[in-house]
Amino acid sequence: MTAERSNMGLNADSVLAERVRQQLTVFPEKFRELGEGGELRSLCRSTRTLSGPKVNQAREHFTEQYLIEPILHGLGYRNPISEDYVGTGPHFVRRPSTYRSLEINRPDYLLKNVSPQVDCILEAKAANEEQITGDKRRATADIEDYVDSDTFAKYLKTLEKRYLVAIGTDGLRWVLWAKDVRSRTTKRAIAEVDLSDAIESIAKRDSVIEGEPKQTTVEIRRFLANKFIPPFAARSIDEFVAAQFE
């Protein structure tokens, strides 16, 4: 890759990183609206699960609406009901019925039109139900079942797909697995990213919770561009996954 092309890629990742950073502000702002800054502080600083009564909504639905879906939008996956979706390009589908005949449990999201060679699903959990370390990894447990399913792999092979990509997230932490459906080779946790420090810094900067931010806006954007965008963005996820099997 030439230096010029490398710089172009870096600039594109930086633009997406800024879009994701802006979407990360939605979560803290909702806690401000609810007057529950203390609940957000607990999520960022402990492993305690989000309280449904405090956010007046089912925990998982709240996390999807105010954290996961805004992030997906920033990553380039459009909401089909949004004004900027024009009927083409990468977008997300909630509770897809696509795999109903193959799997008893269907994934929470299907990320469509990502790449001709990739089928991408996402399992969503309530905030703090997925940890990078320890045993609290509910999203990972769910995507493992899909990736390990030979029936699922055989089905995708008939569609001439090369890779099954499975993302597990509680909004704060994101993990990516992949499977080559031809060789049945699985790559486990090829990307793991924790956004909780970035969200806490944004919440502190916006005075949703007390204290001084650990990360500046520039540092958050750089972190996202380097660690989060390449494996998870719609524009690069297929290339990132393919590279893991070379």
Side-chain angles (χ1 to χ4, degrees):
M1 180 180 292
T2 67
E4 182 181 0
R5 288 186 62 191
S6 177
N7 288 335
M8 288 174 62
L10 178 61
N11 291 336
D13 286 352
S14 296
V15 170
L16 282 179
E18 175 58 18
R19 291 177 182 172
V20 171
R21 188 198 65 78
Q22 291 174 6
Q23 295 298 323
L24 291 179
T25 66
V26 173
F27 199 55
E29 283 302 316
K30 189 60 182 178
F31 283 92
R32 184 205 301 279
E33 177 188 327
L34 294 169
E36 291 291 348
E39 179 70 7
L40 178 59
R41 181 177 59 248
S42 295
L43 290 176
C44 292
R45 298 181 183 176
S46 74
T47 59
R48 190 172 66 80
T49 305
L50 177 68
S51 168
K54 288 189 176 181
V55 297
N56 303 320
Q57 195 173 347
R59 297 178 300 114
E60 189 168 302
H61 292 166
F62 180 89
T63 304
E64 290 174 355
Q65 185 174 1
Y66 297 108
L67 186 56
I68 294 173
E69 291 184 8
I71 290 173
L72 287 175
H73 180 84
L75 288 169
Y77 308 97
R78 300 303 188 219
N79 186 333
I81 65 172
S82 65
E83 292 182 358
D84 59 352
Y85 177 67
V86 294
T88 59
H91 61 280
F92 62 79
V93 177
R94 301 183 188 92
R95 313 299 186 267
S97 60
T98 310
Y99 314 112
R100 185 175 294 171
S101 62
L102 301 173
E103 295 286 337
I104 296 176
N105 298 316
R106 56 181 170 174
D108 292 314
Y109 292 88
L110 172 63
L111 305 183
K112 292 196 69 173
N113 295 348
V114 174
S115 166
Q117 68 175 350
V118 166
D119 220 52
C120 190
I121 60 176
L122 183 147
E123 278 294 308
K125 298 300 177 185
N128 267 359
E129 290 193 351
E130 174 76 11
Q131 302 290 323
I132 295 297
T133 59
D135 297 329
K136 200 173 181 182
R137 311 198 74 173
R138 291 192 58 201
T140 292
D142 283 356
I143 62 174
E144 183 174 13
D145 289 341
Y146 284 106
V147 171
D148 287 346
S149 169
D150 284 338
T151 301
F152 208 53
K154 289 177 182 177
Y155 168 73
L156 294 180
K157 190 174 180 180
T158 66
L159 299 181
E160 298 185 346
K161 299 287 186 177
R162 178 65 186 272
Y163 303 109
L164 167 62
V165 179
I167 298 170
T169 183
D170 65 354
L172 299 172
R173 295 155 197 99
W174 295 65
V175 59
L176 187 148
W177 288 37
K179 183 171 188 173
D180 184 327
V181 299
R182 297 179 186 174
S183 68
R184 309 286 177 84
T185 302
T186 296
K187 300 289 185 178
R188 299 168 178 259
I190 55 178
E192 291 182 286
V193 179
D194 190 337
L195 302 177
S196 55
D197 283 348
I199 292 172
E200 182 177 4
S201 291
I202 290 170
K204 287 180 175 178
R205 186 203 65 200
D206 293 344
S207 301
V208 179
I209 60 178
E210 77 286 348
E212 291 297 319
K214 293 180 181 178
Q215 297 175 318
T216 66
T217 296
V218 172
E219 289 171 335
I220 292 171
R221 185 163 54 242
R222 184 182 303 123
F223 165 75
L224 294 171
N226 291 336
K227 300 296 185 180
F228 193 52
I229 299 303
F232 292 101
R235 68 178 290 272
S236 55
I237 190 171
D238 57 341
E239 181 179 350
F240 179 88
V241 167
Q244 310 304 310
F245 292 91
E246 293 179 352

